[in-house]
Amino acid sequence: MVDTAHRNTGVEGVAGGVGVTALLVAAARAIETHRPDSLARDAYAEHFVRAAPASTGWPVHPREVPDGDTNPLWGRFARYFGLRTRVLDDFLLRSAHAGNARQVVLLGAGLDSRAFRLDWPPGCVIFEVDREEVLAFKHQVLGGLSATSKAARVPVPMDLRDDWAGALPGAGFDPAAPSIWLVEGLLFYLPPAAETYLIDTVDRLSAAGSALAFEVKLEKDLLAYRDSALYTATKQQIGIDLLELFDLEPRPDSAGRLTDHGWSTSVRTPFDFTRLHGRGPLPEPNDALAGNRWVFASRTQR
């Protein structure tokens, strides 16, 4: 059953700033769930959207989207999040079933419901690291649905600006055992030094047999895409200016850093997976997704 560690509603944790982007992604997952050609299904996503005042009136079904798939936000951008969900779902399950890693760490877990909706191997433990109020909101919604997790779930209520690495062992994480790490939709918001610290910390805590996936943006100048359809529609339709939330400093080469530390890495574009699955966004002019990359890394030796 859902843990009972959090007692407040946590709605304030998803009411503004980066927190509200978790609701944006949840709405996209809800829309994807109801598509006839869905890439990923998340039955909990629409309940998060409906439970938060910040997302009142947002669509959770394709029939609720003005202009359908031609809508840059709830069409193309939402499809991007659906594709990302599918690709990272596949990564997590493939990594868990292929090796001995039974501890999964979701950094900046947000409204991720993978502990509840994916078929994990026996013995898996999912550590969800995020701010206390975000986890409390998720707990409230899932508790109201009597949701049951398919793996042991351990919320770790920590701001990633604090000592989350120190909190993990106290929550039961074993750095001597292989682990699977996911950093989804987080690094864009962090200063470069914070991204490097996060990557170095994951490296330090990862035994042989560990795996990591994360998402980065490689544009030299994010503001060059300010008038892109995706950013414009997001600001006009739901009042979120993503470029005000992103850190605009030049990004570090985190994939290269992992390679230097002995990891095997693969850097892919989302469009690679659009072509693989036969649906999802494809490149377009003035494309705010042009610099997005998904990085997959594995450590065979320590």
Side-chain angles (χ1 to χ4, degrees):
M1 296 297 289
V2 178
D3 69 278
T4 56
H6 304 287
R7 301 180 186 277
N8 62 73
T9 65
V11 171
E12 65 275 12
V14 292
V18 174
V20 79
T21 64
L23 293 170
L24 164 60
V25 177
R29 290 200 308 267
I31 292 169
E32 184 68 29
T33 296
H34 294 296
R35 291 180 182 273
D37 61 345
S38 173
L39 284 163
R41 298 188 182 277
D42 182 349
Y44 306 102
E46 64 185 87
H47 296 280
F48 296 131
V49 178
R50 292 290 179 247
S55 49
T56 298
W58 291 8
V60 293
H61 195 288
R63 65 170 175 263
E64 300 170 357
V65 177
D67 305 320
D69 280 351
T70 64
N71 186 303
L73 170 57
W74 300 122
R76 186 171 187 263
F77 203 20
R79 194 94 228 220
Y80 170 82
F81 290 123
L83 177 68
R84 186 180 76 179
T85 299
R86 168 61 179 275
V87 170
L88 296 180
D89 283 357
D90 288 349
F91 160 80
L92 290 168
L93 289 179
R94 183 172 60 249
S95 299
H97 284 280
N100 297 319
R102 290 296 179 267
Q103 49 188 8
V104 179
V105 184
L106 309 178
L107 293 178
L111 302 180
D112 188 305
S113 62
R114 289 183 170 98
F116 297 86
R117 61 181 183 80
L118 296 186
D119 292 324
W120 298 99
C124 273
V125 180
I126 316 298
F127 297 91
E128 299 185 358
V129 184
D130 211 322
R131 292 176 296 138
E132 181 175 10
E133 56 267 33
V134 174
L135 295 177
F137 172 72
K138 177 157 64 174
H139 168 258
Q140 180 202 27
V141 173
L142 293 173
L145 298 172
S146 298
T148 301
S149 59
K150 297 183 178 181
R153 174 175 172 258
V154 181
V156 183
M158 290 289 294
D159 192 307
L160 287 168
R161 294 171 293 185
D162 298 329
D163 185 20
W164 56 268
L168 273 174
F173 177 84
D174 180 5
S179 49
I180 304 167
W181 302 82
L182 178 61
V183 189
E184 181 181 17
L186 170 66
L187 296 182
F188 327 132
Y189 306 107
L190 301 183
E195 176 178 331
T196 297
Y197 172 77
L198 185 150
I199 293 296
D200 285 351
T201 303
V202 170
D203 172 59
R204 176 170 58 85
L205 295 176
S206 295
S210 295
L212 163 67
F214 60 95
E215 182 182 26
V216 293
K217 292 183 77 68
L218 300 183
E219 291 100 341
K220 293 183 179 179
D221 180 11
L222 282 171
L223 294 179
Y225 297 94
R226 171 162 289 286
D227 63 347
S228 69
L230 188 152
Y231 289 146
T232 300
T234 303
K235 184 175 182 179
Q236 289 178 343
Q237 294 184 43
I238 59 175
I240 299 177
D241 187 340
L242 290 171
L243 289 174
E244 287 188 353
L245 300 177
F246 292 160
D247 188 284
L248 301 180
E249 297 179 72
R251 307 313 303 175
D253 180 9
S254 293
R257 193 174 186 87
L258 286 169
T259 301
D260 292 342
H261 290 182
W263 294 69
S264 298
T265 61
S266 172
V267 182
R268 307 286 298 277
T269 74
F271 310 127
D272 293 336
F273 293 97
T274 292
R275 297 181 181 102
L276 175 66
H277 291 290
R279 49 209 189 274
L282 287 168
E284 65 180 26
N286 191 26
D287 192 353
L289 299 178
N292 286 43
R293 296 292 185 274
W294 297 340
V295 182
F296 306 91
S298 60
R299 161 166 269 163
T300 56
Q301 299 182 15
R302 179 74 199 186

